[in-house]
Amino acid sequence: MANDLEIRGVSKRYGDPPGGLLAISDISLNVQKGEFVSIIGPSGCGKSTLFGIIGGLVPDYDGEVRVGGQRHVGTHKDIGIVFQEESTLPWRTVLTNVALPLEIQGVSRAEREERARHYIELVGLAGFENSRPVELSGGMRQRTAIARTLAFQPKVLLMDEPFGALDEQTRLLLGDRVLAIHKELKQTTLLITHNITEAVQLSDRVVVMSYRPGRVLRILDIDLPRPRSSDSVTDERFGRYVAAIWGDLRAEASRGMKEAEALRGTGRRAG
Amino acid sequence: MTRGGSIGSIGLLVAVVAGLEALSRTGRVSAFVMPPPSEILAAIPALVLHEGLGYATWLTFNTTFAATAAALLLGVPAGTLLARRRVLGQAYEPWLEAAFAAPIILLYPLFLIFFGRSLVTVAVMGFVVAVIPVIIKTREGIIGVRPVLHNLALSLHMTPLQSLTKIVLPAALPTIFVGLRLGLIYAMINIVAVEFLVGIGGLGFVVADMYDRYDIPSMYSAVVFVIVLSSLFFLLIERGERWLRPV
Ligand SMILES: Nc1ncnc2c1ncn2[C@@H]1O[C@H](COP(=O)(O)OP(=O)(O)OP(=O)(O)O)[C@@H](O)[C@H]1O
Ligand SMILES: [Mg+2]
C-alpha cells in the first residue's frame, strides 16, 4: 500500500549549530495510508517538534518530509493538527469553532454548519453546539479541537497528546471515540501520547522515542484484532506489548530524570 | 464590589457630605469658599435650565466619543503594526510609555495655534491622549497572543488578513478594550480640562463661566455634576467591559 507520509532522516537543532539544542536526530518513519501510529517517548524528547516539522510549522530542519509521495515545505492542506496546548477560540461557540476551517475555505454558512454538526456528533459533543469553551470541561474542549481538525478534512491527522490532562477513565472512553472516528474516516493518524496503554489500545504500530536528542528506539507492530475497544486491555497479548514498551521507556525516562536533576544542580534550566 | 462594600462606600459619601454641610452651615468654612452641599445640589436645575448644562453635557460627551473613535481608528492599526514589526515596536515603546506618563495637556497652546480657538482643538487634545493607551494596549494584546493560535492560523492556511481578523484581533480584544477604556477616561478628562482652560465647548466651559462670574455655588454645582456624570459613565463602561469580555 502507498505511503501517505514519509519522514526521512529528519533532525532539528534549536539555536545555532556549534551550541544550541539538538531536539531530534535522524528520525525516519513511513506511515501507510489509513494506518494508526502512536509516538511515545519521555517528556522533552522532541515529539511536538517532529509534529511541527511534519505540519510545516517548524522551519530550518535537516532531512525531508513527503506527503503523498511529494516532498513539501511549509503547511500542507492534507495535514491537520490537533495541538498539545489548548487551542479552542473562547469567543466562538463549539459550532463556529468547528466550522472555522470551512469558513476559511469559503464554504457557505448553511453547508459548513451542517458539516460541522456532523463532526461534533462524531466526537460525542452533540447538544453542546452553542456552548462556549469556558462552559466545557478540558476533555470536551479537546474534542472540540479534534472536531475542528476533522472538519479541515486532512488526509493525515496529527494529534499531539489530545488527552494529556485527563483522568484514566475519560481517557479510555475517548480512546474508544478515537477508534470509532478512525474506523469511520480511515484517516492516516499519528498520535503522540505519554500513555502506554493508550498507545497499544489504539495503534497499528507504536514508535518508541529516546530521550534527548529524540531518536527512534524501536517500532513495535501491535498485532491485536480490530475492531478494538477499551476492552482489549484485558487481552493477554496487550500486557506483553505494554511490558515491552515500558522496558524500553524506563531506561530513557530515568536517563531524562537524571539529566534534568543534574541540570538543576548546576543551576541551568532543563528545557 | 460586594454588597457590604457598596453600602460602605455610600455610607462614607453620606458622612462626608453631611460633614461638609455642617461645617458650612455653622460658618466654620466660609459659604463663599465652600457653599453647603444642599445649595450646590439645589443649583443644578437652574444650570440645566438657564446655562445650557444639558447641551454642554451632550457636547462634551460627543467630543469625547469622536476623539476616542478616532483614537481607535488610528491606534489599533498603529498598535498592530508595532506588534508585527518587532524592531519598530521596540524603538517606539519607550517613547509611548513616556508620552503615556506625560502631562500632554500642557501642549494645548500649540494646538490652539494649529486649530484656533475651536472645538477641533478640544477634540484633538482628547484624541492625542486617547490614542496612546490604545496603541500600547493593542500592541501588548497582540504580542500576548499564544503561539499555538498562530500555529492554528498557519495550519488552517489562513491568509495574513484572515489570521488578523479571525484569530489575532479577537484574541487581543480584552486587552485592546482596556486601552479603549483608558483612552475614554483620558479623553474625557483632557477635553473637560481644555474646555475649562480655553473657555469653549461643553462642561469645562460651564465651570469656567460660573467661576468667571463669581457664582461659586453654581460653579460647584457644575463641578459636582461633571464628577457624578463621569463616575457613572465609567462605571457603565466597566460593566460593559466585563460583559463583553469573552473569557
Ligand atoms: N521554539 C523552541 N526553541 C527552543 N527550544 C525548543 C523550542 N521548542 C522546543 N524546544 C526544546 O526542544 C526539546 C523538545 O521539545 P518538544 O516540545 O518537541 O518535546 P515533547 O517531546 O513534545 O515534550 P512533551 O512530551 O513534554 O510535550 C525541548 O527540550 C524543548 O525545550
Ligand atoms: Mg509536546
Side-chain angles (χ1 to χ4, degrees):
Chain A
M1 215 186 272
N3 283 331
D4 233 10
L5 182 66
E6 292 168 57
I7 299 159
R8 295 187 182 168
V10 166
S11 304
K12 169 69 193 176
R13 181 183 292 279
Y14 287 109
D16 294 323
L21 175 105
L22 187 60
I24 55 178
S25 169
D26 196 25
I27 298 221
S28 294
L29 178 70
N30 289 334
V31 185
Q32 285 177 359
K33 207 170 176 49
E35 200 179 9
F36 197 119
V37 175
S38 284
I39 298 172
I40 195 164
S43 187
C45 77
K47 304 180 294 293
S48 297
T49 300
L50 180 64
F51 268 23
I53 289 171
I54 299 171
L57 303 171
V58 171
D60 304 324
Y61 57 90
D62 293 327
E64 63 177 41
V65 176
R66 286 171 175 268
V67 181
Q70 297 291 314
R71 176 158 191 190
H72 96 97
V73 183
T75 53
H76 193 291
K77 66 169 174 41
D78 288 339
I79 295 182
I81 308 181
V82 180
F83 296 97
Q84 182 171 12
E85 299 86 4
E86 168 73 55
S87 68
T88 52
L89 306 178
W91 58 88
R92 284 174 172 251
T93 62
V94 168
L95 185 67
T96 48
N97 258 290
V98 174
L100 179 64
L102 303 167
E103 197 178 310
I104 299 303
Q105 289 160 8
V107 176
S108 74
R109 175 184 292 267
E111 191 187 339
R112 68 181 186 242
E113 290 195 348
E114 190 189 317
R115 276 159 67 181
R117 278 176 208 283
H118 169 71
Y119 292 108
I120 289 169
E121 207 175 298
L122 207 58
V123 297
L125 282 182
F128 291 94
E129 289 83 356
N130 295 319
S131 305
R132 285 178 192 273
V134 273
E135 301 158 352
L136 304 177
S137 70
M140 291 160 92
R141 286 203 290 269
Q142 275 300 13
R143 280 187 276 165
T144 306
I146 292 174
R148 183 179 60 199
T149 309
L150 294 175
F152 187 60
Q153 293 188 297
K155 292 198 178 115
V156 180
L157 176 64
L158 308 179
M159 291 197 277
D160 194 346
E161 285 195 57
F163 312 130
L166 303 183
D167 62 82
E168 188 68 21
Q169 297 86 299
T170 316
R171 182 192 275 273
L172 279 171
L173 292 176
L174 289 182
D176 285 349
R177 213 20 108 171
V178 169
L179 280 174
I181 293 169
H182 184 242
K183 199 172 150 221
E184 171 160 346
L185 303 179
K186 298 186 176 56
Q187 263 155 334
T188 308
T189 307
L190 266 72
L191 172 80
I192 290 176
T193 174
H194 274 147
N195 189 298
I196 304 176
T197 322
E198 185 174 279
V200 175
Q201 179 203 342
L202 303 177
S203 317
D204 300 308
R205 285 190 294 157
V206 176
V207 178
V208 184
M209 279 176 71
S210 73
Y211 184 65
R212 247 178 8 224
R215 301 172 202 273
V216 175
L217 269 187
R218 186 215 280 254
I219 300 182
L220 197 72
D221 287 301
I222 306 296
D223 195 10
L224 290 174
R226 288 198 188 260
R228 298 181 202 159
S229 72
S230 42
D231 290 338
S232 308
V233 181
T234 52
D235 192 306
E236 52 115 14
R237 278 174 297 178
F238 197 97
R240 280 210 297 275
Y241 289 127
V242 170
I245 295 170
W246 174 232
D248 284 342
L249 275 178
R250 181 158 53 186
E252 290 306 315
S254 64
R255 189 158 72 84
M257 270 172 75
K258 278 206 196 91
E259 207 164 294
E261 268 161 26
L263 281 175
R264 220 174 290 128
T266 58
R268 279 176 44 208
R269 281 194 53 204
Chain B
M1 218 189 299
T2 62
R3 177 171 290 228
S6 6
I7 291 174
S9 322
I10 291 170
L12 190 65
L13 182 69
V14 170
V16 168
V17 171
L20 289 174
E21 183 87 26
L23 282 175
S24 188
R25 292 243 177 244
T26 55
R28 271 170 216 261
V29 176
S30 150
F32 188 69
V33 175
M34 168 74 219
S38 53
E39 278 177 31
I40 294 177
L41 289 180
I44 289 182
L47 276 180
V48 176
L49 288 177
H50 307 302
E51 305 293 347
L53 195 61
Y55 174 71
T57 306
W58 186 84
L59 198 60
T60 295
F61 271 86
N62 270 348
T63 318
T64 303
F65 288 139
T68 312
L72 267 185
L73 231 56
L74 259 89
V76 171
T80 307
L81 186 74
L82 292 185
R84 284 292 163 93
R85 305 260 175 285
R86 211 142 274 252
V87 180
L88 205 65
Q90 277 159 0
Y92 270 93
E93 197 194 272
W95 296 111
L96 283 169
E97 300 281 344
F100 192 41
I104 291 180
I105 180 116
L106 296 180
L107 289 178
Y108 82 92
L110 186 71
F111 289 94
L112 269 181
I113 296 170
F114 285 153
F115 302 108
R117 201 166 155 275
S118 69
L119 278 180
V120 178
T121 302
V122 179
V124 169
M125 283 303 298
F127 164 78
V128 170
V129 291
V131 78
I132 295 169
V134 172
I135 295 177
I136 291 178
K137 286 292 165 187
T138 301
R139 173 170 182 261
E140 189 182 307
I142 289 180
I143 287 178
V145 174
R146 293 180 301 128
V148 68
L149 295 186
H150 291 294
N151 281 339
L152 175 69
L154 280 175
S155 78
L156 294 183
H157 290 254
M158 292 191 188
T159 63
L161 186 67
Q162 284 173 328
S163 137
L164 192 69
T165 56
K166 297 200 188 283
I167 305 270
V168 174
L169 285 179
L173 196 65
T175 316
I176 296 176
F177 211 93
V178 174
L180 171 63
R181 178 164 53 91
L182 290 173
L184 265 174
I185 293 174
Y186 288 4
M188 177 107 164
I189 291 173
N190 270 261
I191 282 170
V192 172
V194 173
E195 284 170 347
F196 179 84
L197 287 169
V198 183
I200 47 168
L203 292 168
F205 166 71
V206 174
V207 175
D209 194 33
M210 295 303 117
Y211 178 72
D212 288 344
R213 290 198 240 154
Y214 293 105
D215 186 348
I216 301 304
S218 296
M219 186 199 83
Y220 272 113
S221 304
V223 170
V224 167
F225 184 78
V226 172
I227 292 175
V228 170
L229 208 65
S230 44
S231 305
L232 283 178
F233 178 54
F234 294 122
L235 214 73
L236 217 71
I237 294 177
E238 220 171 85
R239 281 283 156 84
E241 187 178 345
R242 240 177 292 160
W243 183 74
L244 260 178
R245 203 168 268 265
V247 196

